[in-house]
């Protein structure tokens, strides 16, 4: 997993590799430290898909 292409999911609390798709949302203004490394925060595609299925 490349650090530069990774983000921390605030829903499942795990690091993910960005896929640059509409199935994920990575925020430009939120950050989180993991092992002293600063990552962007976002919401992974599992959570985005669950929200769309509820509608």
């Amino acid at each position: 997993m490349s650090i530069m292409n990774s983000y921390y999911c605030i829903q499942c609390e795990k690091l993910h590799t960005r896929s640059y798709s509409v199935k994920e949302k990575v925020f430009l203004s939120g950050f989180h430290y993991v092992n002293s490394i600063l990552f962007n925060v976002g919401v992974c595609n599992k959570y985005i898909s669950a929200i769309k299925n509820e509608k």
Side-chain angles (χ1 to χ4, degrees):
M1 177 183 300
S2 171
I3 293 174
M4 296 299 294
N5 290 328
S6 300
Y7 68 96
Y8 179 82
C9 177
I10 57 176
Q11 182 62 31
C12 65
E13 300 178 346
K14 295 181 182 177
L15 287 174
H16 296 290
T17 301
R18 287 186 72 171
S19 63
Y20 297 94
S21 74
V22 295
K23 295 182 179 180
E24 66 185 5
K25 178 66 176 168
V26 179
F27 305 108
L28 299 176
S29 61
F31 302 95
H32 181 79
Y33 278 100
V34 176
N35 297 328
S36 300
I37 300 172
L38 189 63
F39 290 93
N40 285 89
V41 296
V43 181
C44 70
N45 56 5
K46 291 180 185 178
Y47 184 67
I48 300 289
S49 298
I51 291 173
K52 288 182 180 179
N53 289 336
E54 288 180 1
K55 291 182 179 181

